[in-house]
Amino acid sequence: MLKSNIDKATGFEKRFENINTLVYKNSIDASKAVAKEIADLIKIKQAQKQTCVLGLATGSSPKGLYAELVRLHKEEGLSFKNVVSFNLDEYYPMAPDSINSYVRFMEEQLFKHVDILPENCHIPDGTLAKEIISDYCNEYEVKIKALGGIDLQILGIGGNGHIGFNESGALQNSKTRLVALDHITRVAASGDFSGLDKTPRTAITLGVKKIMEAKRIILMAWGEGKSNIIKVSVEGPIARQVPASYVQEHNNATFVLDQAAGSKLTRINRPWLVEEIVWTDNLIRKAVLGLAIHLNKPILMLTDADYIENGMSDLLADSGPAYDINIKIFNNLQNTITGWPGGKPNADDIKRPERAAPAKKRVLIFSPHPDDDIISMGGTFKRLQEQGHEVHVGYQTSGNIAVSDDEALRFTSFVCDYNDKFGIKGDEAQKIYKKVITFLKNKKASEIDIQDVRYIKGLIRKGEAKSTCCFIGIPESQIHFMELPFYETGAIKKNPVETKDVKITSDLIEKIKPHQIYAAGDLQDPHGTHKVCLDVIFEAVKQLKTKKFMNDCWVWLYRGAWQEWGIDEIEMAVPMGPDQVLEKRKGIFKHQSQKDGVVFQGTDSREFWQRAEDRNKETADLYDQLGMSRYAAMEAFVRWKY
Ligand code: F6R
């Protein structure tokens, strides 16, 4: 069973944690461990000739678990004949055969691949008349009780801390019922439903009470996006706003995390508060910067008492007094600031983030979508161009699914009307435009665009990217539209990465032989495209590593619209004055199709230019607060040493 008070990976006592929490290297290992516990339980019950009652969840988190259970069935003969399952929830209203129904999800992920008996699978019914839902929910609970309750309940966690669809504010004794979905939950789901307006507003969910009555609970969470809510749920007080925190009161519950989801836990984020540690340079930097921010003091104003009162007295004893440590960290942070992202020619570069030579560098900026270059590093992009470097941009994907139908219709009608008006012949073309217009005008919800529409949407984004490059001042010959095939499904779900994606990327790198590569290390975009694009670059770089030109190639990672690097991680900070911020804004405005309520807004209602400006200002504010010079904004980078 997955139980321990000492974390296997770190060996630390989990002093701050109110729930048994295990942090695995990655979600694959973690899912396998959970699958093993379930398999063991099923087998024990089999030996006792008993039914094994499982509470199951949907969403992205349990997918790896179900895949492993299917493997155990197929390869190791695990039988599900004695399993009775109850799913946590279902959208309402929802037809079982709809692509977004949880009935379909469970069939595809688990049920149809194993020998569970169909009559033993229970999922709340999304087709009922509203008047009878309440009775139906009571019966759902009665059925669970009749079987002796849930033996093992699997949970995921929502960004707002929901379990099942028990949203923020759900009561500890809430029953199985029809609930209204939280805005955050609907936004998270809206990608699957092609927009917020088509996303259900209600769902049927197992209540918190029944979840808590389960004999065993395992909550799984993966990825940095879950790290904040995990910290709150595990270390915070039990609070109605965070239903996952109720699990603290369960006597046999475990949170199973990957490293990213566990990264904000005190034992990982501030281990010196949990146990005696070896103070590495990175940890000292993290601790001192964190202390200054926490106390709202410039670095050089930190005192011995500040160190002692905040669990850092051993550091002080080793390397103190505070003044000495402060100076070291201050200089270190100061050295990350540079107005010369491509290196300052003929300057001493020992303490600078970039090399001085060669003075004119070849730079390759990879932009996952056509606007990430300008949103995330527009100021640096312009600076590199102005300082005489040969700047290329590789637009990794077409970004076509983020263009609205209205926008595509507008452009197509424009060309069509123009040709009509001036009698420009081109019967083939006219036929295509008319087909596109008819398709768009009659398009049904969730219908995937036909190829011509996708192409037009891609063209719109290409035009915008070219316009930004022209604004920055780089010639067309330095713009590269890569159109990585993994992206081109016309839907949110993308194809798996293949060698051709990596080949397109490594060919471009090899052609340009850059001294600098910039890549989006932004791992939180809603559909994961940035992460896939980064993985493709990592793979391409690894394959090219032994080539001579790669000895001179440094890779810088930027972040942008969705998140920022931690202050202690930043290795290069490129400052901007107020006028440069306005210039960057103009560059972002070239992406007209992404303005004013974009198709995939995410949970943040600000437009991209606002997010970029806020984020860059926040970084500048932090540097200012820590005692550095005051700038209007800053773009931050971390170097990937491959
Ligand atoms: C799904 C469910 C939800 C999800 C949660 C996390 O049955 O009840 O609580 O577990 O929204 O979703 P993912 O795993 O997609 O992040």
Side-chain angles (χ1 to χ4, degrees):
M1 190 177 280
L2 306 168
K3 273 189 93 179
S4 142
N5 287 320
I6 304 286
D7 180 64
K8 275 197 300 197
T10 60
F12 291 163
E13 192 197 340
K14 296 171 286 178
R15 199 185 303 166
F16 289 80
E17 297 168 19
N18 304 321
I19 301 180
N20 210 336
T21 304
L22 291 176
V23 183
Y24 283 82
K25 198 168 97 229
N26 56 47
S27 64
I28 300 170
D29 292 355
S31 301
K32 281 190 178 157
V34 178
K36 177 159 186 329
E37 182 174 331
I38 294 179
D40 289 348
L41 181 68
I42 294 175
K43 284 188 234 160
I44 290 171
K45 293 276 182 179
Q46 265 158 14
Q48 297 167 344
K49 305 224 173 324
Q50 282 180 3
T51 301
C52 179
V53 185
L54 297 180
L56 300 179
T58 52
S60 59
S61 311
K63 282 187 181 170
L65 163 66
Y66 297 148
E68 176 63 8
L69 287 175
V70 171
R71 191 196 68 76
L72 288 173
H73 170 72
K74 294 203 164 139
E75 293 176 17
E76 298 183 20
L78 176 68
S79 170
F80 288 75
K81 287 233 164 86
N82 66 326
V83 172
V84 178
S85 72
F86 288 89
N87 262 77
L88 278 168
D89 40 23
E90 175 62 287
Y91 292 112
Y92 179 83
M94 179 55 68
D97 56 352
S98 155
I99 40 168
N100 292 314
S101 85
Y102 285 168
V103 171
R104 183 130 170 205
F105 177 98
M106 289 309 299
E107 275 300 313
E108 284 170 6
Q109 300 292 324
L110 182 67
F111 295 158
K112 77 173 180 199
H113 307 289
V114 297
D115 60 349
I116 191 166
L117 301 173
E119 62 272 27
N120 285 350
C121 303
H122 303 90
I123 300 179
D125 186 347
T127 66
L128 301 171
K130 230 181 194 157
E131 311 79 72
I132 58 169
I133 292 181
S134 171
D135 286 347
Y136 173 84
C137 288
N138 289 341
E139 256 173 62
Y140 203 75
E141 292 199 352
V142 168
K143 272 189 203 155
I144 294 175
K145 195 168 173 206
L147 288 161
I150 293 170
D151 291 308
L152 191 153
Q153 175 68 57
I154 293 296
L155 295 176
I157 181 169
N160 59 353
H162 74 206
I163 46 176
F165 279 137
N166 296 287
E167 304 284 24
S168 290
L171 300 179
Q172 213 157 357
N173 61 355
S174 56
K175 294 181 31 168
T176 302
R177 66 210 185 283
L178 182 69
V179 289
L181 295 175
D182 197 294
H183 180 68
I184 299 181
T185 301
R186 291 185 63 237
V187 167
S190 63
D192 295 337
F193 288 93
S194 303
L196 197 57
D197 49 335
K198 300 182 192 93
T199 307
R201 293 181 176 278
T202 49
I204 298 175
T205 184
L206 199 68
V208 175
K209 188 155 186 284
K210 265 280 160 288
I211 294 176
M212 291 293 286
E213 280 169 14
K215 292 170 196 126
R216 167 96 174 111
I217 295 179
I218 298 178
L219 183 148
M220 303 187 299
W222 325 131
E224 200 178 334
K226 295 280 168 78
S227 59
N228 285 324
I229 196 67
I230 285 295
K231 176 170 164 71
V232 173
S233 309
V234 173
E235 297 188 4
I238 297 175
R240 203 190 300 164
Q241 284 66 40
V242 185
S245 67
Y246 291 145
V247 180
Q248 292 182 15
E249 291 205 329
H250 197 279
N251 62 6
N252 190 11
T254 304
F255 274 29
V256 174
L257 315 174
D258 67 356
Q259 278 192 337
S263 60
K264 301 262 164 56
L265 293 174
T266 307
R267 70 170 131 142
I268 294 172
N269 196 28
R270 295 195 288 162
W272 53 91
L273 295 181
V274 179
E275 245 212 13
E276 209 171 292
I277 57 155
V278 176
W279 284 99
T280 60
D281 283 350
N282 282 349
L283 278 176
I284 297 175
R285 187 173 163 170
K286 188 177 170 109
V288 174
L289 294 177
L291 182 65
I293 290 166
H294 173 64
L295 299 176
N296 201 3
K297 282 186 172 185
I299 300 167
L300 296 176
M301 294 294 284
L302 292 172
T303 62
D304 282 11
D306 293 330
Y307 279 75
I308 293 164
E309 283 161 20
N310 288 280
M312 290 157 63
S313 56
D314 56 337
L315 173 64
L316 199 66
D318 256 17
S319 324
Y323 185 85
D324 292 358
I325 307 174
N326 294 349
I327 280 281
K328 197 170 151 206
I329 300 302
F330 178 89
N331 288 337
N332 192 295
L333 190 67
Q334 177 74 46
N335 291 338
T336 62
I337 305 174
T338 181
W340 298 87
K344 186 169 186 183
N346 308 317
D348 176 3
D349 59 8
I350 289 188
K351 290 185 178 153
R352 290 179 175 275
E354 247 301 346
R355 303 146 294 171
K360 301 284 175 231
K361 295 189 172 63
R362 280 185 303 280
V363 177
L364 173 55
I365 300 174
F366 280 114
S367 183
H369 299 103
D371 52 358
D372 292 306
D373 52 350
I374 187 77
I375 290 174
S376 302
M377 52 168 291
T380 308
F381 187 1
K382 195 149 184 20
R383 199 70 70 84
L384 287 163
Q385 166 68 14
E386 283 166 358
Q387 290 172 352
H389 304 288
E390 181 185 313
V391 186
H392 293 254
V393 190
Y395 293 104
Q396 293 173 279
T397 70
S398 69
N400 55 10
I401 64 162
V403 176
S404 71
D405 294 342
D406 288 354
E407 193 77 0
L409 198 56
R410 182 157 76 96
F411 274 84
T412 316
S413 304
F414 176 88
V415 186
C416 204
D417 290 352
Y418 186 91
N419 288 359
D420 271 353
K421 164 88 182 152
F422 295 103
I424 296 173
K425 291 277 172 264
D427 291 347
E428 254 332 281
Q430 287 298 74
K431 251 195 259 162
I432 294 170
Y433 302 148
K434 300 233 154 97
K435 180 172 85 184
V436 164
I437 292 171
T438 313
F439 172 83
L440 287 172
K441 285 191 171 159
N442 298 299
K443 188 174 156 183
K444 293 190 198 68
S446 305
E447 193 174 348
I448 289 187
D449 285 332
I450 54 173
Q451 194 60 45
D452 293 311
V453 172
R454 282 191 237 167
Y455 187 73
I456 288 168
K457 289 186 171 179
L459 266 187
I460 292 172
R461 298 211 70 179
K462 259 190 194 173
E464 292 168 345
K466 281 188 191 173
S467 174
T468 294
C469 288
C470 175
F471 174 77
I472 297 280
I474 69 167
E476 287 227 5
S477 57
Q478 286 164 219
I479 307 174
H480 312 272
F481 291 104
M482 300 162 69
E483 288 169 3
L484 294 183
F486 86 87
Y487 184 89
E488 296 304 321
T489 58
I492 291 153
K493 194 164 183 294
K494 306 296 187 290
N495 292 323
V497 167
E498 289 184 35
T499 40
K500 50 190 177 194
D501 297 294
V502 179
K503 171 102 176 47
I504 294 171
T505 309
S506 56
D507 283 353
L508 184 61
I509 298 175
E510 192 150 18
K511 188 170 129 199
I512 295 168
K513 300 192 173 38
H515 301 98
Q516 281 192 325
I517 288 176
Y518 287 87
D522 202 342
L523 308 181
Q524 248 184 35
D525 81 311
H527 306 146
T529 298
H530 285 208
K531 164 115 178 61
V532 179
C533 285
L534 185 64
D535 289 344
V536 170
I537 296 170
F538 281 174
E539 188 50 39
V541 168
K542 273 187 202 140
Q543 287 180 11
L544 293 169
K545 210 167 141 176
T546 50
K547 305 250 172 183
K548 197 163 161 281
F549 74 90
M550 288 301 283
N551 291 337
D552 290 328
C553 178
W554 285 18
V555 180
W556 290 100
L557 303 178
Y558 61 83
R559 283 187 167 179
W562 310 101
Q563 61 182 157
E564 186 54 282
W565 296 111
I567 185 81
D568 57 294
E569 296 171 298
I570 298 173
E571 291 175 271
M572 176 161 76
V574 181
M576 290 185 274
D579 291 343
Q580 287 159 323
V581 173
L582 285 180
E583 276 299 291
K584 173 169 170 175
R585 187 188 298 177
K586 281 189 211 151
I588 298 175
F589 281 175
K590 302 291 174 201
H591 293 268
Q592 299 258 315
S593 73
Q594 302 303 300
K595 265 194 70 33
D596 302 327
V598 291
V599 181
F600 300 112
Q601 184 79 45
T603 42
D604 190 334
S605 62
R606 291 169 303 169
E607 288 200 20
F608 287 121
W609 66 271
Q610 290 170 311
R611 296 185 211 189
E613 280 184 19
D614 289 352
R615 173 111 38 236
N616 294 162
K617 181 175 173 303
E618 270 165 37
T619 308
D621 286 349
L622 269 183
Y623 270 73
D624 178 30
Q625 185 202 318
L626 290 165
M628 309 289 131
S629 309
R630 171 78 233 178
Y631 292 97
M634 275 177 162
E635 289 173 344
F637 302 87
V638 165
R639 194 173 152 209
W640 178 53
K641 300 184 185 82
Y642 51 89

